[in-house]
Amino acid sequence: MGLLVWSGVEAVPPLVSGLFVSAAVDQGFLAGRPGVGVAWLGGFGAAMGVRAYAARAGFPYLAGVVEPLRDALVERVVRGALARPAADPAAVARLTEQVESARQLTATLLRTLRGVGVTLVAALVGLALLAPVVLPLVLVPLLAAGLLFVRLLRPMAAGRQAVVLAEERLAAEAGRALRGLRDVQATGSGEAVARALTGAARESAAASRALGRASALRALVVALGGRLPVLAVLAAAPWLLARDALTAGELLGVATYLLQQLDPAVRTLAGTVGGWLLNLAVVLDRLAAATAGTDTPAGTGSAPPGVPPGVPPGVPPGVPPGVPPGVPPGVPLGEVRLTGLRYAHAPGATPVLDGVDAVFRPGEHVAVVGPSGVGKSTLAGLLAGLATPTAGAVLVGGGMRGVVLLPQEAYVFPGSVWENLTWLAPGASEPEVAEAVGRLGADGVVARLGGLAGPLRDPGELSAGERQLLALVRTYLAASPVVVLDEATCHLEPAAEERVERAFAERPGTLVVVAHRISSALRADRVLLLDGGHGVLARHGDLQVLSPFYRELVGHWLGSTTGPGAAGGTGLAS
């Protein structure tokens, strides 16, 4: 209500501008009364001062509209990130940037549209009061400009969205290339990466050119709505003055409305507002697409079952003791079936996985390999139920709660060592926990912390490798028929990693390892090679025969472990 009141006050100066100028000329200067003319112009100046004060007074009410929108968008993005713990942090950062962009664009649009709308309406009302005879000369081209502007919005919005998508693809390609420089060097795929980056850059440039061509037509809107009424009135002025349809003062008043109110308003609408409105529409569309399906009522979506008191939400999922119910019909316990699996990070985006078919047999040890950005971690999230396939299906014998996923960044919480190790197996006995600690080589870190009952007050005091060892023991103890290790040993030395993987392979259940060293692939029963959105599952030796790309990949990996400076490096970045 306050915003409407102050908007009404802002409408006074545009409304009276032409009337005051007309009175100053006709009743003052042309009548030989310059003091009266100056008084009318002084009144117009005072009205402009009132308008400036009203614009300032309306800002708090404008904030009351914009800030709740920003808060709602932030809440939606945060809930979406918590609902998908495996989400790319860079993507979440981009979403938060887009939220701030939406806030700023909304505030700017509301502030500008309010001023422009008030000016347009006031100018037209003033024209009707001062010289209704010129209204047809103004309204006809103004309506034509409005229709043209509306027609241009759709192609300009599509062009703007194409630019944003192309820029996001270019940023994603560049990010993958930078993160996977070791892969690029190891596999000798520099030329392929360069071609992909060049293609993305050309696509971005083409989208920008197409948007520029569509946006150039906005100049026609300005010509129709802002300039043509002025030309029409000037062309008709001699005829109107000769027939006393207008006085000299009224003609100057009409010119004031057209040149100081109407033309700037049309320019702002067609140029600045048109651009901001398109940007806001694209940003909101991207936010809606990226956070689709994340609307969770407050108070739901709390921490997963079995999380100790005080453990924050959003940590890696766990399972309670015993095998959860819900085994899909016809799928044996521990078996994993991928059927036509397709996944894209957003609608319209290029699928990361596109038609992957594979079956992991119960008790099998499978290594997932491929270049950086090919979708290995995405597949791990799909296996654990952290993401929903765009198409196809993931069927797990034991249900999604029968899968325990351990990501690269191991989660350790303040408490005792025992509480951390038995989080997913609260019923485990001390001999069982001690045996798991010894089998995985975590006895050193456990002893340093004071044994199983020792306190763990600050997880930040542990190294990344120590945190991974504790999380690996916790995962080993979990009663889950399927374990997915998503580079969960990347901070361990090769010998420690081999000990861990062999222990998990001997553990009952199916093991899926997202490999970052070739040794992981050599130890696996079978290897799933991801490349170009597709997957090939076979034994290591068979895969070398079936896939030239895998053969080349292995050759580069092995070469990187025997070349100069290769000590300790078994060389596959994720």
Side-chain angles (χ1 to χ4, degrees), residues 49-67:
V50 171
R51 184 182 191 186
Y53 180 81
R56 179 179 180 276
F59 269 99
Y61 300 99
L62 188 66
V65 175
V66 174
E67 295 306 318

Side-chain angles (χ1 to χ4, degrees), residues 417 421 433-449 452 465-466 468-474 499-500:
V417 174
L421 298 184
V433 175
E435 180 187 2
V437 168
R439 287 179 66 86
L440 273 71
D443 35 10
V445 61
V446 170
R448 186 176 71 80
L449 293 172
L452 295 178
E466 289 173 331
Q468 282 190 335
L469 278 174
L470 294 180
L472 284 162
V473 174
R474 174 200 302 153
R499 179 174 183 172
V500 166

Side-chain angles (χ1 to χ4, degrees), residues 403-503:
V403 180
V404 60
L405 166 65
L406 185 58
Q408 178 177 344
E409 296 301 324
Y411 179 76
V412 179
F413 54 87
S416 68
V417 174
W418 177 267
E419 287 171 334
N420 270 276
L421 298 184
T422 60
W423 174 17
L424 304 181
S429 64
E430 185 171 346
E432 290 173 334
V433 175
E435 180 187 2
V437 168
R439 287 179 66 86
L440 273 71
D443 35 10
V445 61
V446 170
R448 186 176 71 80
L449 293 172
L452 295 178
L456 182 54
R457 297 184 178 87
D458 183 8
E461 295 178 352
L462 301 176
S463 69
E466 289 173 331
R467 288 196 299 270
Q468 282 190 335
L469 278 174
L470 294 180
L472 284 162
V473 174
R474 174 200 302 153
T475 304
Y476 182 89
L477 290 169
S480 171
V482 179
V483 170
V484 180
L485 303 181
D486 184 9
E487 299 189 38
T489 58
C490 63
H491 296 298
L492 303 182
E493 292 296 324
E497 177 184 65
E498 179 178 0
R499 179 174 183 172
V500 166
E501 287 187 4
R502 292 194 184 281

Side-chain angles (χ1 to χ4, degrees), residues 496-521:
E497 177 184 65
E498 179 178 0
R499 179 174 183 172
V500 166
E501 287 187 4
R502 292 194 184 281
F504 270 94
E506 294 169 0
R507 170 189 178 276
T510 304
L511 174 63
V512 180
V513 177
V514 174
H516 66 282
R517 293 187 176 109
I518 183 58
S519 53
S520 294

Side-chain angles (χ1 to χ4, degrees), residues 184-229:
V184 173
Q185 183 179 9
T187 59
S189 55
E191 291 185 4
V193 171
R195 284 195 301 271
L197 286 172
T198 301
R202 288 175 177 169
E203 179 184 335
S204 178
S208 297
R209 287 194 296 270
L211 176 61
R213 287 192 293 269
S215 300
L217 293 175
R218 287 185 296 187
L220 186 56
V221 174
V222 175
L224 279 175
R227 300 294 177 80
L228 189 56

